[in-house]
Amino acid sequence: MHGPEILVLDEPFSGLDPVAVGVMSEVLRDRAAAGVPVIFSSHQLELVERLCDRVGIVRSGRLVAQGTIDELRATDRPLWEISGSLPAGWEAGVAAVTVTQEGPGAWRVEAASAEAAQAGLAAAMKSGTVTSFAPVRPSLTELFQDVVSAPEEAA
């Protein structure tokens, strides 16, 4: 009689070519679909983002963040991207937002609330042509960089 099964892997994608990565990904998905808990470590964060239900980030041997990717992405001040043909200073007078130009025709809006972001969008639309407005969804790589580069708290 077998006890409960659990699959624990250390860097299972390291050194694999793209075809082998696909095969290994399918094996891990199949085991998880069969009810087997699958735990693995990896620095290939795009694969982690694609495969995992929950993620833990370890720094200096300590678990410093954990949750679903959506939980880890949640912030107190949502970020939005606005693209379009807008004049300089279009954001003047919009309360509760900070706007930074990311490049030609692209701005990042840090908003205190979804309502404030909508007010920023309304100001942009009044000033020029908006071609896109979308929430910024940081990648797992960006989340990892933020967590590991943050100052360590005293134990």
Side-chain angles (χ1 to χ4, degrees):
M1 182 143 106
H2 292 292
E5 184 179 349
I6 185 169
L7 189 57
V8 179
L9 302 152
D10 183 21
E11 296 285 350
F13 302 102
S14 182
L16 299 181
D17 65 46
V19 172
V21 166
V23 170
M24 176 61 80
S25 296
E26 195 58 37
V27 167
L28 297 180
R29 278 191 199 104
D30 288 347
R31 297 310 307 143
V36 175
V38 178
I39 300 171
F40 68 90
S41 66
S42 181
H43 288 91
Q44 295 176 335
L45 300 180
E46 67 286 345
L47 290 169
V48 171
E49 192 165 6
R50 225 174 342 136
L51 294 173
C52 296
D53 296 326
R54 297 189 55 79
V55 174
I57 298 175
V58 176
R59 178 178 64 187
S60 301
R62 298 180 80 120
L63 185 63
V64 294
Q66 66 178 324
T68 66
I69 292 174
D70 284 340
E71 288 169 347
L72 294 174
R73 283 180 170 144
T75 64
D76 293 338
R77 294 184 57 89
L79 292 175
W80 302 81
E81 290 179 336
I82 295 179
S83 300
S85 179
L86 303 171
W90 65 265
E91 73 282 2
V94 180
V97 299
T98 302
V99 177
T100 54
Q101 188 154 9
E102 295 290 305
W107 293 264
R108 188 163 279 196
V109 177
E110 183 179 0
S113 66
E115 293 78 17
Q118 293 292 322
L121 172 60
M125 291 174 64
K126 218 182 263 189
S127 300
T129 302
V130 173
T131 55
S132 71
F133 176 71
V136 174
R137 297 185 47 85
S139 68
L140 188 54
T141 298
E142 291 168 318
L143 294 170
F144 179 84
Q145 289 169 338
D146 287 347
V147 168
V148 299
S149 64
E152 289 194 44
E153 296 178 14

